[in-house]
Amino acid sequence: MRKILILIALLTIATAARGQQSSLIQNVGARSPISLDGQWKVIIDPYDTGSSDNGFFKDAQPKSKSEFVEYSFDTSESLSVPGDWNTQRERLFFYEGAVWYKKSFDYQRQANSRLFVYFGAANYLADVYLNGAKVGRHEGGFTPFNFEITNLVREQDNTLIVKIDNKRFREAVPTVVTDWWNYGGLTRQVMLVEVPQTFVQDYFIQLRKGANNRIVGWVKLNGQQAAQKIRIQIPEANVDTTFQTDTNGAATIDLNANLTLWSPQQPKLYEVIISSESDTIRDQIGFRTIEVKGPDILLNGKPIFLRGVCIHEEAPIRGGRAFSQDDARILLGWAKELGCNFVRLAHYPHNEFMVREADRLGLMVWSEVPVYWGIQFDNPVTLGNAQNQLTEMIARDKNRSAVIFWSMANETPQGEARLSFISKLAELTRTLDPTRLVTAAMLHHYEGQTTQVIDDPLSEYLDVIGCNEYIGWYDGLPAKADNMEWKTRYQKPVVMSEFGGEAQYGRHGDDLTRWTEEYQENMYRHQIAMLKRIPFLRGTAPWILMDFRSPRRLLPQIQDYYNRKGLVSSRGEKKKAFYVMQEFYREMRQRFGSE
Ligand code: GCB
């Protein structure tokens, strides 16, 4: 109980630190939100002209023919929301800077209700204004946020203005260099969410770690009427239990239930109904346990091998940022076809459709914050920002049984400051969610010519060790893998969280000619032979499912700003290596069982 109260307090502190931003509303999709998606008027503002005191957020209209107003949303162009700006206009393709978005709307709010505006994500800095008043600011390109607008909203002619700035800077998370496109804009859905005066703002309902019939967690109310009865129903499991919230609106949940556990074979989701005296919300929740024992990962108590693949949030076929349920279905459909039971959603939290779809399809998920390469590990502001993004990631997805790993970082250079920074993130993760495993993708090093050692001291703080390696691509030719042995200093499961090489779909040559499908296929064959010899390996996630845009991939006529390590091209064509990996997963399924 004490732990849970500390946890809720932490969530409140984290959100209070963000100024006016309200704590995240759980499961907004189930609240019949009003969508603000569609065309928004935009002003592209490369010199930040609109940020003065008399700025664009005022949406000034000249009241006479003589009045001087040097901007206009109404005669400006429009962009689609959700959507990155880069792929909607050719001249915005490389743009990094400020864009002001405007949407007008009418709203009839019911008496005694409250209204919030919810953003699925905005990359990177978002300043939000309603009817000329500042509502709040959010930093971080891949996590949701909401603001209460009950006292600002009118019945008619509301003007919502959001300034988005995606300029890169050193202190940011991620920092200035990434191997993915810096897609800017309102990249996910925007909606209005109406709730009762006192409402169920958040809940955490999962199995207690290691127990297969005991559900624990909490419910948090937001509003004046804090002390209420909370009823949890899971009709299919005959659960109907009531709890009492305290004067802060928090209740601890602890109940027994006889459940069919969620697994890739049988991704069972239950309807869970959470009601207070003033509010009701329904969710689809699965229940499973995930633990480690020595080098093993146990799902529902049984050792598993993770047949994974890495995925960027890049839209198949259409290109640009993925944001829709259809995008999620296509990407995860390919992962299923590959034979996966696991996906690594790299290198930042993906949109909610991905995680919910993974829940339905039975794909276990690695979810990550963009603590990527050399961020400012000695900067407390950067740490606060990373902690905030981590908190928001966990806040949104903590009820999804598909999520088994929270990943703290990717390929970060070793050092004291980095160890302190990431271990703090791991500690926060375990406080926010004691049920899941903590991981990070790390590097390894050579001992002699033919031995790789996993000994990153960060491993001490993790449950599962993620390891990225590029033998046969950045490191020698494919056959280099043949004599490679792997050692680890830790009695912990290891997942090869990246390996791969580039091939342009349809480019052919012999199996030592770079950029051809044959080279990539050859490389995968040598890799797989090596991976099979690693005794402590408990999963693989090749880099990557689909080709994705990157400003660092410049080779003309081959890369053309695409990282081509995909097993599938950006148009959905499967490369030869896809089938090699598929064959490997068929074999692993036979060896390790169908989960
Ligand atoms: C890595 C990074 C990933 C890159 C990949 C590559 O190690 O983690 O973000 O895209 O290598 O293709 O080089």
Side-chain angles (χ1 to χ4, degrees):
M1 174 73 180
R2 233 189 106 233
K3 265 193 181 158
I4 284 165
L5 291 180
I6 294 171
L7 201 160
I8 294 171
L10 263 171
L11 280 171
T12 317
I13 292 164
T15 47
R18 278 170 268 155
Q20 302 115 306
Q21 187 184 330
S22 321
S23 300
L24 199 70
I25 302 176
Q26 184 59 221
N27 189 15
V28 275
R31 291 196 173 271
S32 314
I34 303 293
S35 171
L36 292 182
D37 294 346
Q39 295 298 305
W40 289 51
K41 289 288 187 184
V42 292
I43 300 176
I44 298 148
D45 184 13
Y47 278 24
D48 234 343
T49 307
S51 286
S52 66
D53 284 350
N54 217 3
F56 294 175
F57 65 92
K58 295 211 159 144
D59 189 26
Q61 319 278 344
K63 285 179 206 68
S64 71
K65 63 182 182 185
S66 315
E67 196 181 331
F68 176 65
V69 178
E70 209 179 3
Y71 67 93
S72 163
F73 279 100
D74 294 347
T75 53
S76 289
E77 61 187 302
S78 302
L79 285 175
S80 264
V81 173
D84 62 83
W85 63 57
N86 314 72
T87 57
Q88 294 191 52
R89 293 279 180 286
E90 208 176 330
R91 68 193 168 91
L92 294 179
F93 188 64
F94 290 105
Y95 183 70
E96 296 185 302
V99 174
W100 295 79
Y101 283 74
K102 175 189 154 177
K103 185 80 174 172
S104 305
F105 66 92
D106 298 337
Y107 198 83
Q108 315 295 321
R109 187 166 61 83
Q110 315 232 322
N112 279 326
S113 72
R114 294 165 66 185
L115 194 68
F116 290 75
V117 58
Y118 179 99
F119 297 85
N123 190 34
Y124 171 81
L125 267 179
D127 288 293
V128 182
Y129 305 85
L130 184 67
N131 300 331
K134 178 100 182 223
V135 173
R137 158 174 275 214
H138 181 263
E139 177 166 0
F142 303 97
T143 43
F145 52 99
N146 47 232
F147 300 104
E148 180 157 14
I149 53 170
T150 309
N151 297 329
L152 284 173
V153 73
R154 305 192 282 243
E155 291 213 336
Q156 274 173 344
D157 298 329
N158 290 285
T159 307
L160 179 62
I161 291 181
V162 188
K163 177 193 164 195
I164 312 278
D165 196 331
N166 75 335
K167 272 194 286 300
R168 288 166 293 133
F169 54 100
R170 273 297 284 131
E171 301 75 28
V173 180
T175 182
V176 287
V177 184
T178 59
D179 191 21
W180 69 80
W181 208 263
N182 182 22
Y183 291 118
L186 286 172
T187 48
R188 294 184 192 156
Q189 296 172 302
V190 183
M191 41 195 143
L192 297 171
V193 186
E194 188 167 343
V195 290
Q197 278 295 332
T198 299
F199 68 101
V200 177
Q201 184 223 297
D202 200 2
Y203 50 86
F204 188 19
I205 300 179
Q206 289 280 280
L207 280 181
R208 188 197 176 98
K209 200 169 186 74
N212 61 14
N213 59 0
R214 180 123 176 247
I215 296 175
V216 293
W218 47 264
V219 174
K220 175 81 175 77
L221 299 178
N222 176 326
Q224 295 293 318
Q225 209 194 323
Q228 292 197 30
K229 273 209 167 32
I230 300 288
R231 183 171 176 199
I232 306 287
Q233 291 165 276
I234 311 177
E236 224 187 315
N238 293 319
V239 168
D240 189 346
T241 317
T242 53
F243 300 90
Q244 180 68 39
T245 51
D246 62 17
T247 47
N248 295 315
T252 316
I253 306 283
D254 192 341
L255 56 89
N256 289 320
N258 198 355
L259 301 158
T260 300
L261 299 184
W262 183 99
S263 71
Q265 266 301 64
Q266 196 181 1
K268 172 76 190 153
L269 300 179
Y270 286 90
E271 179 171 62
V272 179
I273 308 164
I274 303 121
S275 338
S276 68
E277 290 156 34
S278 50
D279 191 18
T280 297
I281 180 110
R282 287 159 194 267
D283 206 343
Q284 307 292 314
I285 300 181
F287 300 95
R288 52 99 197 92
T289 63
I290 191 78
E291 295 160 287
V292 290
K293 194 169 167 205
D296 286 331
I297 301 170
L298 309 180
L299 173 74
N300 300 327
K302 288 190 227 111
I304 46 164
F305 186 89
L306 300 174
R307 305 185 307 271
V309 70
C310 297
I311 306 182
H312 256 299
E313 196 187 39
E314 183 104 4
I317 325 290
R318 177 184 88 237
R321 265 279 163 266
F323 54 73
S324 69
Q325 188 160 28
D326 283 348
D327 295 336
R329 284 192 175 141
I330 297 173
L331 291 168
L332 297 179
W334 288 336
K336 289 289 278 189
E337 207 181 324
L338 190 64
C340 291
N341 60 5
F342 170 66
V343 287
R344 176 181 176 209
L345 303 183
H347 282 300
Y348 38 74
H350 287 212
N351 66 77
E352 195 171 351
F353 289 118
M354 283 294 274
V355 185
R356 286 204 176 252
E357 207 50 35
D359 231 12
R360 275 191 282 270
L361 290 171
L363 283 163
M364 293 174 273
V365 168
W366 161 316
S367 183
E368 182 162 308
V369 281
V371 174
Y372 183 86
W373 292 351
I375 72 162
Q376 285 191 341
F377 290 112
D378 54 359
N379 183 339
V381 175
T382 303
L383 175 62
N385 181 358
Q387 286 171 324
N388 196 44
Q389 295 191 38
L390 180 74
T391 305
E392 290 171 343
M393 168 175 82
I394 296 174
R396 193 193 70 188
D397 291 339
K398 61 185 174 294
N399 293 309
R400 305 283 76 81
S401 46
V403 178
I404 56 165
F405 296 164
W406 299 123
S407 167
M408 307 293 98
N410 179 74
E411 287 183 5
T412 45
Q414 291 191 25
E416 277 304 307
R418 169 264 201 173
L419 201 58
S420 149
F421 186 109
I422 301 180
S423 61
K424 282 189 184 122
L425 294 185
E427 197 185 319
L428 174 62
T429 304
R430 292 197 172 96
T431 321
L432 294 174
D433 177 4
T435 73
R436 290 181 174 82
L437 303 175
V438 177
T439 192
M442 293 174 291
L443 297 167
H444 47 91
H445 73 259
Y446 273 96
E447 208 175 78
Q449 299 287 307
T450 55
T451 307
Q452 299 280 355
V453 193
I454 298 172
D455 63 354
D456 188 326
L458 178 59
S459 309
E460 284 292 347
Y461 300 89
L462 307 174
D463 300 308
V464 174
I465 299 173
C467 184
N468 294 356
E469 55 92 3
Y470 283 90
I471 299 164
W473 185 253
Y474 298 123
D475 178 11
L477 295 175
K480 190 169 183 186
D482 298 353
N483 303 317
M484 204 61 75
E485 297 303 323
W486 286 79
K487 286 204 304 207
T488 175
R489 299 252 148 88
Y490 300 93
Q491 265 291 311
K492 295 187 177 189
V494 172
V495 171
M496 211 57 92
S497 38
E498 285 182 28
F499 57 93
E502 298 196 38
Q504 186 182 29
Y505 173 77
R507 189 174 195 88
H508 297 290
D510 63 44
D511 62 10
L512 285 176
T513 303
R514 292 250 177 197
W515 317 108
T516 63
E517 288 193 46
E518 286 72 15
Y519 185 106
Q520 192 191 35
E521 180 189 32
N522 183 30
M523 204 218 68
Y524 268 80
R525 286 196 196 286
H526 288 277
Q527 275 291 318
I528 287 168
M530 179 192 76
L531 294 168
K532 283 186 188 164
R533 295 196 316 268
I534 306 177
F536 44 82
L537 191 70
R538 291 299 178 269
T540 51
W543 188 258
I544 188 169
L545 180 66
M546 192 187 84
D547 291 351
F548 61 98
R549 280 211 180 86
S550 166
R552 306 177 75 239
R553 307 294 170 177
L554 311 171
L555 187 65
Q557 286 160 39
I558 293 179
Q559 292 178 313
D560 296 317
Y561 298 108
Y562 272 92
N563 182 319
R564 304 256 181 220
K565 292 192 186 70
L567 294 170
V568 172
S569 78
S570 59
R571 306 180 55 80
E573 298 131 331
K574 297 189 180 77
K575 304 179 195 172
K576 283 170 174 264
F578 182 95
Y579 301 102
V580 177
M581 206 57 212
Q582 192 181 47
E583 183 54 40
F584 172 55
Y585 281 162
R586 230 175 261 136
E587 199 185 316
M588 293 316 271
R589 209 181 165 120
Q590 272 155 16
R591 267 178 51 190
F592 284 85
S594 51
E595 294 298 2

